[in-house]
Amino acid sequence: MGQALLAYMSIVSIVLLILMGMDKSRAKNHEWRIAERTLFTLAIAGGAAGGVLGMYLFRHKTRHNRFAFGFPLLAAIQIFIIVRLWT
């Protein structure tokens, strides 16, 4: 169970990481953006760790309190759940 959940969360995190990079690129080019709702949905669905990594890797959404506090909080909760299921 723990391995399957870890694999799922890893995939969702990678997807969110990629979307954060795409959204930053689109923001720089004044193009159509990825909805914040989409980013948060993926974070809640298990990809918060990738969202946090994307925030700081691409320097994207770090000034938005919802992201600056929400993503790390979700990531901590999700990592806690993984650790509890793994042991």
Side-chain angles (χ1 to χ4, degrees):
M1 173 73 173
Q3 289 178 331
L5 184 59
L6 181 61
Y8 165 78
M9 290 175 69
S10 297
I11 291 168
V12 177
S13 289
I14 291 168
V15 169
L16 184 54
L17 175 67
I18 292 168
L19 287 179
M20 292 289 282
M22 288 172 55
D23 193 47
K24 177 65 176 192
S25 175
R26 290 176 179 182
K28 285 182 177 180
N29 296 324
H30 304 287
E31 296 175 350
W32 171 82
R33 304 280 302 279
I34 298 169
E36 288 185 357
R37 177 178 282 180
T38 302
L39 299 175
F40 260 107
T41 300
L42 287 172
I44 291 169
V52 171
L53 183 59
M55 277 178 40
Y56 293 103
L57 184 66
F58 302 116
R59 296 182 186 194
H60 188 52
K61 303 273 188 199
T62 55
R63 294 184 182 179
H64 297 258
N65 287 335
R66 285 184 284 177
F67 287 89
F69 295 110
F71 275 17
L73 179 62
L74 286 170
I77 292 168
Q78 291 169 4
I79 291 169
F80 176 78
I81 290 170
I82 286 289
V83 169
R84 295 294 286 175
L85 288 176
W86 199 272
T87 57

